[in-house]
Amino acid sequence: MPGAESEFTFELRVCQWAERHWPPERSLPDDRTALVARQLGTRGRRWDTLVVECDSDALAARAVFGSDRLDSDLLHVVRDAPGEWAFYRDALPHPGYPWRYVREAIHTAEERGIVETRRAGNRIEIRRKWHYPDWVHRVIAIENKPDLDASAARRLADQMERDVALSLADEVWVATRATGESVEPALLERLPVEVGLLAFDSEAGTANVAWHPNSLDVDAPGTRIEERPAGNAHDESAARFEYVDAEWKREKRLEIAERAYERGWRAYVGTMRPDCRHFELRERAGDTLPWCAAKGHSPTARECSGSCPEFTPEPPAWRTRGWPIEGGPGKGFRRLLDRQRDRTRRP
């Protein structure tokens, strides 16, 4: 694969490494498994790679609720639905917002077949079908910076400090391309000491720990830094921040994990054009990566679009050949990645 790989390709390779080898330098207990996703987070912060360490049995039990995520409204319903029929307002804790939104969530849950409902006069009664399991153990955030020079480190340090202060993730890491030097140059940059550093070898598809992270206190209130002074003689403004309580963090972590369960990291094919005749999946050091035969490199999601000047739809004959690629190579790629994504949900 000639030329330096893009940050997007580096990110996919880190995801594949994490799916196979997380955690670095040790093994998960036999009753744990790792679920990997990418480009997830909160409204104000999106992480490149997310690793959710799960209880294996509880993750398998989560499957009865379907492969689609449960958002905050649905979680409010399925987690608190009673074992016996009850009026929904009596059964569920007050949501902190109008009850009409709860009714909408109940109807959605019924349509998805994850709660039972019935009418008792003008009242809606609900009953749970299954117990929602406590399947999320730890949440690990990884920021991917293949070329972590001094200027990139300065820009990244501020965001890492915010991640540490909020402590929404149990651990925060930075993954960068390994240089082969005795001391990785990234260790000399001013990143918070709480942040771990992974040196990823792009040729071998392996990673080594250059710096171990601190475990963050996710069960304690966090600090959201909203604005901070620039730190020079011309900026005397005060920092602005707010505290977030532990309950908000618990709920947000579960919502993020639900999105990771739905999406997985292989969802990148949903934003690309596998129906282009130039789109391929190629293997490198055990990693399966998108490849553009027209451009001769692994494209980014932005490159691989219908507006690409090289985009050429698959010939109709490709989509009507039947076995072994029924529907054409593009649909075959989607099915392959969807099967691999589904496999990670079922340990």
Side-chain angles (χ1 to χ4, degrees):
M1 190 179 294
E5 61 188 10
S6 67
E7 187 167 323
F8 173 75
T9 303
F10 182 83
E11 181 175 292
L12 296 187
R13 302 197 67 204
V14 169
C15 288
Q16 295 191 71
W17 168 83
E19 192 169 79
R20 293 194 300 264
H21 301 296
W22 188 265
E25 299 186 347
R26 58 185 179 88
S27 299
L28 285 174
D30 292 339
D31 61 348
R32 298 273 166 79
T33 191
L35 184 69
V36 181
R38 53 179 291 274
Q39 295 298 323
L40 288 178
T42 65
R43 183 184 303 175
R45 175 68 171 117
R46 184 171 60 185
W47 291 307
D48 292 337
T49 299
L50 199 76
V51 182
V52 183
E53 294 182 7
C54 315
D55 178 281
S56 298
D57 290 340
L59 178 63
R62 162 63 184 80
V64 299
F65 293 91
S67 58
D68 292 341
R69 70 184 173 105
L70 302 178
D71 61 19
S72 59
D73 292 340
L74 287 173
L75 285 170
H76 179 242
V77 173
V78 301
R79 293 171 71 191
D80 296 303
E84 301 297 333
W85 289 109
F87 177 45
Y88 76 94
R89 287 203 190 192
D90 295 335
L92 304 178
H94 194 286
Y97 47 81
W99 283 105
R100 66 176 181 274
Y101 297 114
V102 178
R103 290 196 300 272
E104 291 176 8
I106 289 172
H107 292 316
T108 300
E110 181 190 25
E111 290 170 0
R112 288 176 54 170
I114 54 180
V115 296
E116 294 179 304
T117 68
R118 73 179 184 184
R119 286 276 182 178
N122 292 326
R123 292 186 163 200
I124 299 175
E125 294 185 342
I126 62 173
R127 183 174 68 178
R128 73 166 176 257
K129 295 184 69 172
W130 308 285
H131 172 73
Y132 182 82
D134 184 13
W135 61 280
V136 179
H137 180 60
R138 301 173 77 232
V139 176
I140 316 298
I142 304 174
E143 192 73 12
N144 299 310
K145 291 294 177 187
D147 302 307
L148 190 62
D149 55 19
S151 61
R154 282 195 298 270
R155 294 191 298 269
L156 186 61
D158 177 71
Q159 187 59 69
M160 294 293 98
E161 290 172 0
R162 294 169 188 261
D163 289 346
V164 170
L166 185 59
S167 61
L168 187 59
D170 293 85
E171 291 176 359
V172 178
W173 294 76
V174 173
T176 188
R177 187 178 290 114
T179 63
E181 299 182 23
S182 56
V183 176
E184 288 292 337
L187 285 172
L188 306 179
E189 305 298 343
R190 290 190 172 184
L191 295 175
V193 296
E194 296 88 350
V195 175
L197 186 66
L198 280 172
F200 187 79
D201 185 331
S202 292
E203 292 302 318
T206 59
N208 293 313
V209 178
W211 184 266
H212 288 275
N214 287 0
S215 292
L216 305 178
D217 193 351
V218 297
D219 295 319
T223 302
R224 181 185 288 115
I225 300 173
E226 296 187 332
E227 188 175 342
R228 63 195 312 170
N232 55 48
H234 303 289
D235 186 357
E236 297 181 357
S237 59
R240 290 196 306 112
F241 63 90
E242 66 175 1
Y243 293 114
V244 296
D245 60 36
E247 180 61 26
W248 179 89
K249 289 166 59 174
R250 279 192 292 271
E251 296 299 319
K252 191 58 64 177
R253 283 160 55 87
L254 183 55
E255 291 171 30
I256 292 171
E258 278 285 338
R259 291 166 60 199
Y261 183 89
E262 175 186 58
R263 183 187 298 182
W265 65 267
R266 292 184 182 86
Y268 67 84
V269 75
T271 59
M272 302 179 105
R273 295 305 301 260
D275 58 332
C276 174
R277 69 182 303 157
H278 302 301
F279 184 93
E280 300 175 8
L281 289 177
R282 288 194 177 183
E283 185 175 318
R284 180 187 180 194
D287 296 340
T288 302
L289 301 170
W291 180 265
C292 178
K295 296 179 180 178
H297 66 250
S298 186
T300 66
R302 180 174 296 180
E303 280 183 287
C304 188
S305 66
S307 61
C308 172
E310 303 293 339
F311 174 70
T312 308
E314 294 174 338
W318 287 15
R319 297 192 292 274
T320 57
R321 284 178 183 170
W323 190 90
I325 310 176
E326 188 161 349
K331 289 189 177 180
F333 294 143
R334 289 184 185 274
R335 287 194 295 268
L336 170 65
L337 296 175
D338 284 342
R339 285 197 302 270
Q340 292 177 335
R341 177 169 54 177
D342 186 61
R343 191 167 61 233
T344 65
R345 302 190 188 110
R346 305 177 189 277

PDB file of all heavy atoms in Angstrom, residues 13-34:
ATOM      1  N   ARG A  13      -7.608   0.735  11.377  1.00  0.00           N
ATOM      2  CA  ARG A  13      -6.649  -0.285  11.780  1.00  0.00           C
ATOM      3  C   ARG A  13      -6.546  -0.364  13.300  1.00  0.00           C
ATOM      4  O   ARG A  13      -6.399  -1.463  13.858  1.00  0.00           O
ATOM      5  CB  ARG A  13      -5.294  -0.006  11.143  1.00  0.00           C
ATOM      6  CG  ARG A  13      -5.355   0.054   9.626  1.00  0.00           C
ATOM      7  CD  ARG A  13      -3.994  -0.088   9.006  1.00  0.00           C
ATOM      8  NE  ARG A  13      -3.458  -1.415   9.234  1.00  0.00           N
ATOM      9  CZ  ARG A  13      -2.157  -1.697   9.217  1.00  0.00           C
ATOM     10  NH1 ARG A  13      -1.272  -0.730   8.994  1.00  0.00           N
ATOM     11  NH2 ARG A  13      -1.729  -2.916   9.425  1.00  0.00           N
ATOM     12  N   VAL A  14      -6.618   0.773  13.977  1.00  0.00           N
ATOM     13  CA  VAL A  14      -6.624   0.758  15.443  1.00  0.00           C
ATOM     14  C   VAL A  14      -7.868   0.035  15.952  1.00  0.00           C
ATOM     15  O   VAL A  14      -7.809  -0.747  16.909  1.00  0.00           O
ATOM     16  CB  VAL A  14      -6.546   2.193  16.002  1.00  0.00           C
ATOM     17  CG1 VAL A  14      -6.826   2.216  17.502  1.00  0.00           C
ATOM     18  CG2 VAL A  14      -5.169   2.797  15.725  1.00  0.00           C
ATOM     19  N   CYS A  15      -9.011   0.265  15.290  1.00  0.00           N
ATOM     20  CA  CYS A  15     -10.250  -0.415  15.681  1.00  0.00           C
ATOM     21  C   CYS A  15     -10.112  -1.931  15.531  1.00  0.00           C
ATOM     22  O   CYS A  15     -10.532  -2.695  16.410  1.00  0.00           O
ATOM     23  CB  CYS A  15     -11.420   0.088  14.849  1.00  0.00           C
ATOM     24  SG  CYS A  15     -11.985   1.752  15.245  1.00  0.00           S
ATOM     25  N   GLN A  16      -9.530  -2.371  14.413  1.00  0.00           N
ATOM     26  CA  GLN A  16      -9.376  -3.812  14.197  1.00  0.00           C
ATOM     27  C   GLN A  16      -8.407  -4.412  15.205  1.00  0.00           C
ATOM     28  O   GLN A  16      -8.635  -5.517  15.723  1.00  0.00           O
ATOM     29  CB  GLN A  16      -8.909  -4.073  12.765  1.00  0.00           C
ATOM     30  CG  GLN A  16      -9.949  -3.650  11.735  1.00  0.00           C
ATOM     31  CD  GLN A  16      -9.634  -4.145  10.343  1.00  0.00           C
ATOM     32  OE1 GLN A  16      -9.740  -5.337  10.062  1.00  0.00           O
ATOM     33  NE2 GLN A  16      -9.250  -3.243   9.465  1.00  0.00           N
ATOM     34  N   TRP A  17      -7.324  -3.676  15.498  1.00  0.00           N
ATOM     35  CA  TRP A  17      -6.391  -4.152  16.522  1.00  0.00           C
ATOM     36  C   TRP A  17      -7.091  -4.266  17.875  1.00  0.00           C
ATOM     37  O   TRP A  17      -6.942  -5.280  18.578  1.00  0.00           O
ATOM     38  CB  TRP A  17      -5.201  -3.187  16.621  1.00  0.00           C
ATOM     39  CG  TRP A  17      -4.375  -3.454  17.839  1.00  0.00           C
ATOM     40  CD1 TRP A  17      -3.387  -4.387  17.984  1.00  0.00           C
ATOM     41  CD2 TRP A  17      -4.497  -2.804  19.106  1.00  0.00           C
ATOM     42  NE1 TRP A  17      -2.900  -4.369  19.261  1.00  0.00           N
ATOM     43  CE2 TRP A  17      -3.560  -3.404  19.972  1.00  0.00           C
ATOM     44  CE3 TRP A  17      -5.305  -1.778  19.584  1.00  0.00           C
ATOM     45  CZ2 TRP A  17      -3.412  -2.998  21.303  1.00  0.00           C
ATOM     46  CZ3 TRP A  17      -5.164  -1.373  20.910  1.00  0.00           C
ATOM     47  CH2 TRP A  17      -4.224  -1.974  21.752  1.00  0.00           C
ATOM     48  N   ALA A  18      -7.866  -3.249  18.249  1.00  0.00           N
ATOM     49  CA  ALA A  18      -8.543  -3.262  19.544  1.00  0.00           C
ATOM     50  C   ALA A  18      -9.538  -4.412  19.634  1.00  0.00           C
ATOM     51  O   ALA A  18      -9.674  -5.053  20.684  1.00  0.00           O
ATOM     52  CB  ALA A  18      -9.243  -1.924  19.788  1.00  0.00           C
ATOM     53  N   GLU A  19     -10.219  -4.705  18.539  1.00  0.00           N
ATOM     54  CA  GLU A  19     -11.194  -5.789  18.555  1.00  0.00           C
ATOM     55  C   GLU A  19     -10.522  -7.137  18.791  1.00  0.00           C
ATOM     56  O   GLU A  19     -11.098  -8.036  19.435  1.00  0.00           O
ATOM     57  CB  GLU A  19     -11.971  -5.805  17.237  1.00  0.00           C
ATOM     58  CG  GLU A  19     -13.202  -6.697  17.262  1.00  0.00           C
ATOM     59  CD  GLU A  19     -14.081  -6.493  16.045  1.00  0.00           C
ATOM     60  OE1 GLU A  19     -13.731  -7.047  14.984  1.00  0.00           O
ATOM     61  OE2 GLU A  19     -15.091  -5.788  16.144  1.00  0.00           O
ATOM     62  N   ARG A  20      -9.308  -7.288  18.292  1.00  0.00           N
ATOM     63  CA  ARG A  20      -8.603  -8.564  18.442  1.00  0.00           C
ATOM     64  C   ARG A  20      -7.772  -8.655  19.713  1.00  0.00           C
ATOM     65  O   ARG A  20      -7.621  -9.739  20.280  1.00  0.00           O
ATOM     66  CB  ARG A  20      -7.689  -8.802  17.238  1.00  0.00           C
ATOM     67  CG  ARG A  20      -8.404  -9.023  15.929  1.00  0.00           C
ATOM     68  CD  ARG A  20      -7.444  -9.588  14.891  1.00  0.00           C
ATOM     69  NE  ARG A  20      -6.328  -8.679  14.642  1.00  0.00           N
ATOM     70  CZ  ARG A  20      -6.285  -7.800  13.642  1.00  0.00           C
ATOM     71  NH1 ARG A  20      -7.300  -7.700  12.807  1.00  0.00           N
ATOM     72  NH2 ARG A  20      -5.239  -7.008  13.486  1.00  0.00           N
ATOM     73  N   HIS A  21      -7.208  -7.526  20.167  1.00  0.00           N
ATOM     74  CA  HIS A  21      -6.158  -7.597  21.186  1.00  0.00           C
ATOM     75  C   HIS A  21      -6.428  -6.762  22.442  1.00  0.00           C
ATOM     76  O   HIS A  21      -5.545  -6.661  23.291  1.00  0.00           O
ATOM     77  CB  HIS A  21      -4.821  -7.147  20.584  1.00  0.00           C
ATOM     78  CG  HIS A  21      -4.381  -7.958  19.406  1.00  0.00           C
ATOM     79  ND1 HIS A  21      -4.075  -9.301  19.495  1.00  0.00           N
ATOM     80  CD2 HIS A  21      -4.230  -7.612  18.097  1.00  0.00           C
ATOM     81  CE1 HIS A  21      -3.727  -9.747  18.294  1.00  0.00           C
ATOM     82  NE2 HIS A  21      -3.814  -8.758  17.439  1.00  0.00           N
ATOM     83  N   TRP A  22      -7.597  -6.156  22.546  1.00  0.00           N
ATOM     84  CA  TRP A  22      -7.833  -5.343  23.743  1.00  0.00           C
ATOM     85  C   TRP A  22      -8.046  -6.258  24.955  1.00  0.00           C
ATOM     86  O   TRP A  22      -8.720  -7.269  24.843  1.00  0.00           O
ATOM     87  CB  TRP A  22      -9.051  -4.437  23.540  1.00  0.00           C
ATOM     88  CG  TRP A  22      -9.165  -3.475  24.669  1.00  0.00           C
ATOM     89  CD1 TRP A  22      -9.917  -3.592  25.807  1.00  0.00           C
ATOM     90  CD2 TRP A  22      -8.449  -2.256  24.778  1.00  0.00           C
ATOM     91  NE1 TRP A  22      -9.715  -2.518  26.622  1.00  0.00           N
ATOM     92  CE2 TRP A  22      -8.816  -1.684  26.021  1.00  0.00           C
ATOM     93  CE3 TRP A  22      -7.528  -1.588  23.968  1.00  0.00           C
ATOM     94  CZ2 TRP A  22      -8.286  -0.471  26.454  1.00  0.00           C
ATOM     95  CZ3 TRP A  22      -7.010  -0.387  24.394  1.00  0.00           C
ATOM     96  CH2 TRP A  22      -7.391   0.155  25.625  1.00  0.00           C
ATOM     97  N   PRO A  23      -7.444  -5.867  26.120  1.00  0.00           N
ATOM     98  CA  PRO A  23      -6.600  -4.707  26.416  1.00  0.00           C
ATOM     99  C   PRO A  23      -5.134  -5.004  26.114  1.00  0.00           C
ATOM    100  O   PRO A  23      -4.738  -6.168  26.088  1.00  0.00           O
ATOM    101  CB  PRO A  23      -6.818  -4.506  27.921  1.00  0.00           C
ATOM    102  CG  PRO A  23      -7.057  -5.880  28.431  1.00  0.00           C
ATOM    103  CD  PRO A  23      -7.792  -6.621  27.348  1.00  0.00           C
ATOM    104  N   PRO A  24      -4.332  -3.970  25.885  1.00  0.00           N
ATOM    105  CA  PRO A  24      -2.929  -4.195  25.551  1.00  0.00           C
ATOM    106  C   PRO A  24      -2.158  -4.776  26.735  1.00  0.00           C
ATOM    107  O   PRO A  24      -2.402  -4.427  27.893  1.00  0.00           O
ATOM    108  CB  PRO A  24      -2.417  -2.787  25.196  1.00  0.00           C
ATOM    109  CG  PRO A  24      -3.352  -1.861  25.886  1.00  0.00           C
ATOM    110  CD  PRO A  24      -4.686  -2.541  25.919  1.00  0.00           C
ATOM    111  N   GLU A  25      -1.272  -5.697  26.424  1.00  0.00           N
ATOM    112  CA  GLU A  25      -0.329  -6.293  27.371  1.00  0.00           C
ATOM    113  C   GLU A  25      -0.979  -7.153  28.447  1.00  0.00           C
ATOM    114  O   GLU A  25      -0.337  -7.540  29.419  1.00  0.00           O
ATOM    115  CB  GLU A  25       0.541  -5.206  28.027  1.00  0.00           C
ATOM    116  CG  GLU A  25       1.384  -4.441  27.024  1.00  0.00           C
ATOM    117  CD  GLU A  25       2.335  -3.466  27.694  1.00  0.00           C
ATOM    118  OE1 GLU A  25       2.171  -3.214  28.913  1.00  0.00           O
ATOM    119  OE2 GLU A  25       3.237  -2.958  27.014  1.00  0.00           O
ATOM    120  N   ARG A  26      -2.248  -7.436  28.308  1.00  0.00           N
ATOM    121  CA  ARG A  26      -2.909  -8.352  29.238  1.00  0.00           C
ATOM    122  C   ARG A  26      -4.154  -8.900  28.547  1.00  0.00           C
ATOM    123  O   ARG A  26      -4.403  -8.593  27.379  1.00  0.00           O
ATOM    124  CB  ARG A  26      -3.265  -7.671  30.564  1.00  0.00           C
ATOM    125  CG  ARG A  26      -4.167  -6.462  30.435  1.00  0.00           C
ATOM    126  CD  ARG A  26      -4.362  -5.775  31.786  1.00  0.00           C
ATOM    127  NE  ARG A  26      -5.203  -4.593  31.682  1.00  0.00           N
ATOM    128  CZ  ARG A  26      -6.512  -4.598  31.773  1.00  0.00           C
ATOM    129  NH1 ARG A  26      -7.147  -5.746  31.986  1.00  0.00           N
ATOM    130  NH2 ARG A  26      -7.212  -3.488  31.659  1.00  0.00           N
ATOM    131  N   SER A  27      -4.933  -9.688  29.242  1.00  0.00           N
ATOM    132  CA  SER A  27      -6.136 -10.275  28.662  1.00  0.00           C
ATOM    133  C   SER A  27      -7.345  -9.922  29.513  1.00  0.00           C
ATOM    134  O   SER A  27      -7.233  -9.741  30.731  1.00  0.00           O
ATOM    135  CB  SER A  27      -6.005 -11.806  28.592  1.00  0.00           C
ATOM    136  OG  SER A  27      -4.922 -12.182  27.771  1.00  0.00           O
ATOM    137  N   LEU A  28      -8.490  -9.839  28.862  1.00  0.00           N
ATOM    138  CA  LEU A  28      -9.725  -9.652  29.604  1.00  0.00           C
ATOM    139  C   LEU A  28     -10.053 -10.931  30.364  1.00  0.00           C
ATOM    140  O   LEU A  28      -9.710 -12.029  29.918  1.00  0.00           O
ATOM    141  CB  LEU A  28     -10.876  -9.319  28.654  1.00  0.00           C
ATOM    142  CG  LEU A  28     -10.929  -7.917  28.061  1.00  0.00           C
ATOM    143  CD1 LEU A  28     -12.053  -7.839  27.032  1.00  0.00           C
ATOM    144  CD2 LEU A  28     -11.139  -6.866  29.142  1.00  0.00           C
ATOM    145  N   PRO A  29     -10.717 -10.835  31.505  1.00  0.00           N
ATOM    146  CA  PRO A  29     -11.188 -12.050  32.185  1.00  0.00           C
ATOM    147  C   PRO A  29     -12.085 -12.856  31.251  1.00  0.00           C
ATOM    148  O   PRO A  29     -12.648 -12.340  30.281  1.00  0.00           O
ATOM    149  CB  PRO A  29     -11.969 -11.494  33.384  1.00  0.00           C
ATOM    150  CG  PRO A  29     -11.430 -10.117  33.600  1.00  0.00           C
ATOM    151  CD  PRO A  29     -11.047  -9.605  32.238  1.00  0.00           C
ATOM    152  N   ASP A  30     -12.229 -14.143  31.548  1.00  0.00           N
ATOM    153  CA  ASP A  30     -12.998 -15.036  30.688  1.00  0.00           C
ATOM    154  C   ASP A  30     -14.453 -14.602  30.543  1.00  0.00           C
ATOM    155  O   ASP A  30     -15.107 -14.935  29.543  1.00  0.00           O
ATOM    156  CB  ASP A  30     -12.942 -16.465  31.223  1.00  0.00           C
ATOM    157  CG  ASP A  30     -11.545 -17.066  31.112  1.00  0.00           C
ATOM    158  OD1 ASP A  30     -10.754 -16.559  30.287  1.00  0.00           O
ATOM    159  OD2 ASP A  30     -11.254 -18.022  31.849  1.00  0.00           O
ATOM    160  N   ASP A  31     -14.968 -13.881  31.541  1.00  0.00           N
ATOM    161  CA  ASP A  31     -16.377 -13.474  31.488  1.00  0.00           C
ATOM    162  C   ASP A  31     -16.569 -12.084  30.914  1.00  0.00           C
ATOM    163  O   ASP A  31     -17.629 -11.487  31.048  1.00  0.00           O
ATOM    164  CB  ASP A  31     -17.005 -13.538  32.885  1.00  0.00           C
ATOM    165  CG  ASP A  31     -16.316 -12.603  33.873  1.00  0.00           C
ATOM    166  OD1 ASP A  31     -15.223 -12.077  33.553  1.00  0.00           O
ATOM    167  OD2 ASP A  31     -16.866 -12.391  34.972  1.00  0.00           O
ATOM    168  N   ARG A  32     -15.533 -11.550  30.266  1.00  0.00           N
ATOM    169  CA  ARG A  32     -15.627 -10.216  29.668  1.00  0.00           C
ATOM    170  C   ARG A  32     -15.325 -10.277  28.180  1.00  0.00           C
ATOM    171  O   ARG A  32     -14.607 -11.155  27.705  1.00  0.00           O
ATOM    172  CB  ARG A  32     -14.619  -9.262  30.334  1.00  0.00           C
ATOM    173  CG  ARG A  32     -14.869  -9.048  31.814  1.00  0.00           C
ATOM    174  CD  ARG A  32     -15.860  -7.928  32.073  1.00  0.00           C
ATOM    175  NE  ARG A  32     -16.320  -7.961  33.444  1.00  0.00           N
ATOM    176  CZ  ARG A  32     -15.629  -7.495  34.484  1.00  0.00           C
ATOM    177  NH1 ARG A  32     -14.448  -6.967  34.297  1.00  0.00           N
ATOM    178  NH2 ARG A  32     -16.132  -7.571  35.701  1.00  0.00           N
ATOM    179  N   THR A  33     -15.857  -9.326  27.444  1.00  0.00           N
ATOM    180  CA  THR A  33     -15.576  -9.196  26.015  1.00  0.00           C
ATOM    181  C   THR A  33     -15.533  -7.718  25.673  1.00  0.00           C
ATOM    182  O   THR A  33     -16.045  -6.882  26.425  1.00  0.00           O
ATOM    183  CB  THR A  33     -16.642  -9.931  25.175  1.00  0.00           C
ATOM    184  OG1 THR A  33     -16.220  -9.997  23.820  1.00  0.00           O
ATOM    185  CG2 THR A  33     -17.991  -9.207  25.245  1.00  0.00           C
ATOM    186  N   ALA A  34     -14.915  -7.388  24.557  1.00  0.00           N
ATOM    187  CA  ALA A  34     -14.751  -5.985  24.149  1.00  0.00           C
ATOM    188  C   ALA A  34     -15.572  -5.704  22.899  1.00  0.00           C
ATOM    189  O   ALA A  34     -15.531  -6.467  21.924  1.00  0.00           O
ATOM    190  CB  ALA A  34     -13.284  -5.666  23.890  1.00  0.00           C
TER     191      ALA A  34
END
